[in-house]
Amino acid sequence: MLRQYELVEKVKEYDPDADEAALNRAYVYTVQKHGTQKRASGDPYFSHPVEVAGLMTDLQLDVQTIITALLHDTVEDTLATIEDIEANFGSDVARLVDGVTKLSKIEAMPENERAAENLRKFLLAMSEDIRVLLVKLADRLHNMRTLHFIKSPDKRQRIARETMDIYAPLAERVGMYEYMREMQELAFSELEPEAYSTITKRLEQLRGQDGGQVDAIALKIKQALAEAGLMVEVSGREKHPYSIWKKMAERHVSFEQVTDIMAFRVLTDSDADCYRAMGVLHTTWQFLPGRFKDYISTPKSNGYRSLHTSLMYENSMRVEVQIRTREMHRRNEFGLAAHWAYKQHDEADGEVGWLRDLIEIVDASHDAEELLEHARLAIYQDRIFAFTPKGGLFQLPKGATAVDFAFAVHTDLGLATVGAKINGRHMPLRTRLENGDVVEIIKGRNAEPQLSWLGFVVTGKARAAIRRSVRLKERAEVAEIGSKLFDEIASKVPARIGKKAIRVAVERLGMEEPEDLMFAIGAAKLTDREVMEALVPGCTAEFEDDYDWSKRERAISIRGLTPDVGYTLATCCHPVPGDRIVGLRRKQERVEVHAIDCLELASGIDADWLDLSWGRRSHGAVGRLSVTLYDRPGTLAEMAGIFAQNIANVTSLEQTQLDHPFTTYEIDAEVQDLAHLMRILSALRASDAVAQAERI
């Protein structure tokens, strides 16, 4: 662990004007606040924030970031408050500490929701100041280095999985490859201990057999480049166990079949020297077609720049070579942190445009699973490059389609998309893009995203925006049904209902907008009584105490049952007065009343069958219908009007299928009897809005 004076000296080495007094105060503050707290390793707890601060000094970050690292756990794990931090260290440090604190785990939530909530807070906090991300990545890296001290295997697995799924990809997206590689290595050893052990042992065996082959190849590369007049640095290494394991899994091959285990790095003085070096290597050894990548002319989205190529060395050995300048290398290894350290904040901020997409995903995601799915899509896929007709360059994941491209350009463009031209030709929206494609998006005035797009889009941003748009459309249609039902409910109230009464009712029900009330009515989340009482408190007192407010008035009796026998109308077939009915009686259970043609009767072999019939003047039951509408504006409202005209209350409405240009709904409606239900079916089938209507 770094001592106080050692930490200060490290900062002063790269920043002679650093506020030494503030650093000393922060060090003492974290030691005092954490006091006698211990880590799982048995070390004093304050050793952790001190080590995180040490990682920040390795990146040569500013004093505020170092102090934030020292204090990042004080608010979460001690009695210190953000107000205390602000009073002692200023508002900027307090804001950064608060940002890191917001990322703390929410232990009471299920694992997937906890991970989603952590990610949500993470993204929002780092959107305000990217240094929050740098501190959090260092915090996670040090926790991974000490993961083996945690006794619970389940907890170790959870932390390792979260690191592999979220933190390592985020480190890659901001170009911090050293952090990414170490996180992956540590997580891999925990998640796949047998695979890690096997690959590590095989690498040790190779090391003992090759007789310094890595160094020999590095020397040969350096000599070839020196003969061409290029003074370079060349280093070689074996690939990391996780990288090898990933290749084995992707290619479905054994360790022995992975031929490119060795990788070499060439550092030059200039961009021009990089291309010269590549030419020398390609003429000295055979290069593998399709394995050359130029990230200098077209950098990765995180700012990474380098040339990548694969060569066939002696004895048909494949080796990977990366060629870059020394300046590129410094930035490639530490990415955004290197930009920040050298005060190029504007440049650094420009390289996290993907972060804005993630924030949009946070706003659009409906639940924890959806957020995690979309965010993971956004942070870890390989990239391709596509252009707008005016030459704008956009990076997308492999497999991206024209719809993904539209949403990458702008969410509003994605929402208005009706077609696409790729390289000047009209192509289906599901067409997968290739490197260098020129994509022109065709907009429509009344266009709407289709649910079917979710079957082929691959970016988190597109998926989140499409799902959000579809949800809003469905909500508006259900609210339109609710407004028609509201008029029927309001007609029972002994007062004239105006806009003011509706606003007051909305407040009484704990809602925000009248549209919320209409949606709740349309979705059958409120009974008539609850709505009437909200409109005019006390107005339902005149109704009988046993009035069933969840349904319209009913008067059902069943012949064939003794008066003391309870019964229920089966929800599988929804019998209504007029249907032939039969009862199933089991011990200790109420009699189930089914329509005679109900398929569920086949499961009644263990029950007594009762021959039943409806009592005289029986009326009022729920019938279930399947209605397929044409997917165009106004059809849902027209269907609602048919139910209202036939005085049938819709108690449940669920969309069961969307197959453009049709949408199918399953509807529960209160009807008087079979004749009433058939009149509604006839009216539905006669409507131009309805493609098909059947009773379930």
Side-chain angles (χ1 to χ4, degrees), residues 29 33 75 79-90 94:
Y29 189 89
K33 290 297 179 183
V75 173
L79 297 177
T81 64
I82 289 296
E83 290 72 25
D84 295 337
I85 302 294
E86 184 170 5
N88 285 282
F89 301 99

Side-chain angles (χ1 to χ4, degrees), residues 571-572 574 623-628 639 643 650-657 663-669 694-696:
T571 56
C572 47
H574 289 275
R624 177 164 290 176
L625 306 175
S626 174
V627 182
T628 301
M639 179 182 72
F643 281 101
V650 174
T651 60
S652 174
L653 173 77
E654 181 182 358
Q655 180 184 304
T656 58
Q657 188 174 357
T663 306
T664 301
Y665 296 91
E666 193 171 279
I667 301 163
D668 286 350
E694 302 292 342
R695 181 183 178 189
I696 298 178

Side-chain angles (χ1 to χ4, degrees), residues 59-78:
L59 299 175
Q60 300 189 1
L61 293 174
D62 60 308
V63 170
Q64 287 181 331
T65 309
I66 308 299
I67 293 175
T68 299
L70 286 169
L71 306 178
H72 77 271
D73 276 339
T74 53
V75 173
E76 182 185 353
D77 295 331
T78 76

